[in-house]
Amino acid sequence: MLLAPAGAGASVDRESALHAYARARFADGEGALGLAGESYREALRQDPSRLEIARRSYVQGLESGDRALALRSAALLDGAGMLPRDGTLLLMGDALLRKDWSGASALVDRMTTEGNFAFLAPIVRSWIAVGEGRYAPPVIDAKDRFAALGSRYVDEHAALQAAMKGDVAVAVPMMRRALAMRGRDGGPMRIAFAAQLAAKGAKAEALALLPVGDPDFAQARSAIEKGQVKVRPITAAQGYARLLARMAVDIASDPAGATLGLRLARMATFADPEGAEGHILSARLLTGQGHGAAAAAGARQVPADSWYAAFAGAELIDALSEAGDKDDALTLARQQAAEPGAGPERQVRLGRLLAERRDFDGAAAAFRAAQASFAAGQVPWTLLLFEGSALEQGKRWAEARKVLEQAAAVAPDEPMVLNYLGYAQIERRENVDTALALIKKASALRPDDPSIADSLGWAQFVTGDVTSALPSLERAAEGAPADVTINEHLGDALWTAGRRYEARYAWAAASVYAEGDIATRLAAKRKEGLKPEYAAP
């Protein structure tokens, strides 16, 4: 139901607004961000007094990257005292972009009072000082209750401000601490640091931050080596955008924070429309939430000649794949993987796309290529599992088993490896006792995993222990009620135990998403019951 405040003007076309709002909600539910945003804008224009429209428009404006819609909705909600706490961050970016330093300072005070994002205050105040022409690096009070949160972000901003001031000796140690905090996700940060150092003539220090021979950093290294650096000092709005982007990464690392993470990433693009990092991060988060087309559009905001182009290209590949454009995604993935010095991530991305196309030989080769940069005995178990899985699915079991056994030797307590190696042997009815022991160990290490519970139950069933199999398979079905394999396994075990009605119910559940030969087999079971020729593999 749409709620309007008392006294709303009679000139409002509420019927048109309602139609636009209904269209927006439908588009929103279907994941059509563009149509949803357009419809919310129309609904808000027709009836700006309806707070429900403003609330939905605010969320949609952020998630679709419509800055004007987000700000307009935020103003309406703020006037009614209903702006979400992250709205203060949106207004802050707008104030900084407009160089409204007094307004930005007032918003920092408000942010501190509200509490949710108070730990950002010292860093934001330091960027306001930069905007005002002063140098006041961020300082975190160790006694402050939010000190631990603020400390996670402060080095990056203090380093950038020191570099812009020309104090390279102070900046570099802080840069290294900030990069250590970010780990593998710090690639774009390296480029930003190197750019500011190079702009101050610290060429050696800048190049030291960029790995030699890594194509992700090739454009940046080449430009710095040639002295072709045209980098402006970071503005207050751009510094703030970096803060939002970094916080978005942290929040979105928890699935429960994915939506807020995307909002923050979009706010970063509002505060720094030409900044590459905000668009790269937004693309990644949009892909993760199933908005492939919007993610691809975001990734394409980064120009091909940008120092950040390689990172944007990686996100574009994932976005295209999510959007269903598998051919273009594969083409780009091949190009990236073929570049000299291409690292494991590029090879893994290619391998996964090839596996989706059922080119398991090609996938195995890509996963093997990803291992080339590691010394003997240092190959991560994940890469071995990827290769072994591709070989197994490509019907090269003898090779697959060797690779999977190697993975198990590297990671003897990794449930995924133990489960895969054990289940693959159970499927082939090989070494069933040893395979059952592997799966039991995996289950003990990860008792709440439905896939492992299914493996355990099926292994128990195959070895003749139907009594033990049923509880394991029932637990698996509770954890993954839509899984085709799990429900088929459960049905077979139930039938064998004499529970015929429940067996057909489980097979019916499996049939909902089954395709091809599996669907045919399930239909036969439901009609005729379990026969040897209909048994699950």
Side-chain angles (χ1 to χ4, degrees):
M1 178 179 181
L2 300 183
L3 303 177
S11 62
V12 169
D13 188 346
R14 290 196 176 89
E15 185 174 354
S16 296
L18 182 60
H19 288 164
Y21 178 75
R23 184 170 62 250
R25 291 295 302 275
F26 178 77
D28 206 352
E30 292 296 311
L33 296 184
L35 177 59
E38 177 184 330
S39 301
Y40 279 121
R41 281 195 300 275
E42 178 62 19
L44 200 62
R45 186 188 69 78
Q46 294 282 358
D47 193 353
S49 64
R50 299 246 177 179
L51 296 179
E52 178 63 18
I53 294 177
R55 277 196 294 265
R56 293 283 181 177
S57 298
Y58 171 78
V59 172
Q60 181 62 31
L62 288 175
E63 294 185 358
S64 65
D66 189 330
R67 178 174 177 267
L69 178 62
L71 285 171
R72 185 182 178 198
S73 304
L76 292 170
L77 293 171
D78 201 25
M82 298 180 64
L83 182 67
R85 292 294 170 85
D86 62 11
T88 304
L89 302 180
L90 172 66
L91 300 179
M92 177 74 71
D94 182 57
L96 293 173
L97 196 59
R98 292 185 289 104
K99 301 182 179 180
D100 177 6
W101 311 127
S102 61
S105 294
L107 284 166
V108 175
D109 292 338
R110 171 175 169 174
M111 184 170 64
T112 303
T113 300
E114 290 174 344
N116 299 61
F117 302 103
F119 63 94
L120 303 178
I123 301 174
V124 180
R125 290 192 194 281
S126 74
W127 283 113
I128 293 173
V130 168
E132 293 175 330
R134 299 182 289 110
Y135 177 56
V139 177
I140 303 295
D141 183 355
K143 297 180 181 179
D144 188 280
R145 62 192 179 110
F146 300 116
L149 290 173
S151 296
R152 180 170 177 79
Y153 304 101
V154 69
D155 279 326
E156 176 182 3
H157 300 273
L160 289 169
Q161 293 178 20
M164 290 191 297
K165 188 172 177 284
D167 199 342
V168 174
V170 171
V172 170
M174 290 189 291
M175 289 177 177
R176 296 196 180 282
R177 286 200 300 270
L179 288 168
M181 181 72 72
R182 288 293 142 188
R184 294 177 62 186
D185 196 46
M189 185 190 289
R190 287 183 177 276
I191 292 176
F193 285 159
Q196 292 303 318
L197 290 172
K200 292 300 180 180
K203 180 177 178 179
E205 290 84 352
L207 290 173
L209 295 177
L210 305 177
V212 178
D214 189 328
D216 286 347
F217 303 98
Q219 290 197 59
R221 283 194 65 91
S222 177
I224 293 172
E225 287 170 346
K226 296 174 182 177
Q228 299 173 344
V229 179
K230 297 179 181 179
V231 179
R232 295 178 180 178
I234 295 175
T235 67
Q238 290 169 336
Y240 177 68
R242 298 184 66 80
L243 178 59
L244 291 179
R246 219 58 71 211
M247 188 166 60
V249 170
D250 291 342
I251 290 175
S253 64
D254 182 340
T259 298
L260 177 56
L262 176 57
R263 291 188 193 182
L264 295 176
R266 286 298 207 184
M267 290 181 198
T269 66
F270 296 164
D272 184 13
E274 297 181 1
E277 289 197 64
H279 291 297
I280 291 170
L281 176 58
S282 293
R284 183 190 311 166
L285 297 180
L286 283 164
T287 297
Q289 296 182 38
H291 301 300
R300 289 189 173 112
Q301 292 294 312
V302 181
D305 60 354
S306 166
W307 291 6
Y308 300 89
F311 295 98
E315 300 304 335
L316 179 58
I317 292 168
D318 291 342
L320 290 171
S321 178
E322 174 62 35
D325 192 350
K326 305 291 186 180
D327 291 340
D328 283 352
L330 185 56
T331 297
L332 291 175
R334 288 188 189 279
Q335 291 173 359
Q336 279 208 342
E339 290 186 36
E345 290 186 3
R346 294 188 176 201
Q347 304 295 348
V348 168
R349 183 173 284 108
L350 173 60
R352 285 177 168 171
L353 288 172
L354 290 169
E356 288 177 7
R357 300 280 290 258
R358 304 191 68 77
D359 180 0
F360 297 117
D361 289 345
F367 294 137
R368 197 174 306 114
Q371 302 168 26
S373 58
F374 296 92
Q378 300 299 315
V379 177
W381 66 264
T382 49
L383 297 183
L384 294 168
L385 178 59
F386 288 156
E387 182 191 357
S389 171
L391 290 168
E392 187 267 335
Q393 292 179 83
K395 303 186 185 305
R396 295 164 62 182
W397 170 238
E399 298 169 77
R401 180 175 170 179
K402 291 180 180 179
V403 175
L404 293 169
E405 287 175 341
Q406 186 181 352
V410 171
D413 294 318
E414 175 48 53
M416 290 179 64
V417 174
L418 299 173
N419 181 61
Y420 201 105
L421 177 58
Y423 186 76
Q425 293 180 89
I426 288 293
E427 277 193 313
R428 291 164 176 80
R429 307 303 191 261
E430 293 180 5
N431 305 313
V432 290
D433 291 335
T434 301
L436 177 58
L438 290 172
I439 297 171
K440 283 183 176 179
K441 183 177 179 181
S443 181
L445 290 166
R446 193 175 294 174
D448 296 328
D449 188 311
S451 178
I452 295 177
D454 171 65
S455 297
L456 176 60
W458 192 239
Q460 290 166 330
F461 176 79
V462 167
T463 55
D465 188 0
V466 179
T467 301
S468 297
L470 279 172
S472 300
L473 292 170
E474 287 170 340
R475 187 171 73 252
E478 288 174 4
D483 188 280
V484 174
T485 300
I486 290 174
N487 279 299
E488 182 178 16
H489 286 170
L490 176 59
D492 285 14
L494 287 167
W495 183 276
T496 303
R499 295 161 62 178
R500 305 296 173 85
Y501 176 81
E502 294 170 272
R504 285 193 165 92
Y505 184 87
W507 290 329
S511 300
V512 174
Y513 297 105
E515 298 177 349
D517 292 341
I518 298 175
T520 301
R521 184 172 69 234
L522 286 165
K525 288 182 186 182
R526 293 174 65 191
K527 181 178 180 180
E528 304 174 33
L530 180 61
K531 295 181 177 180
E533 60 268 29
Y534 300 152

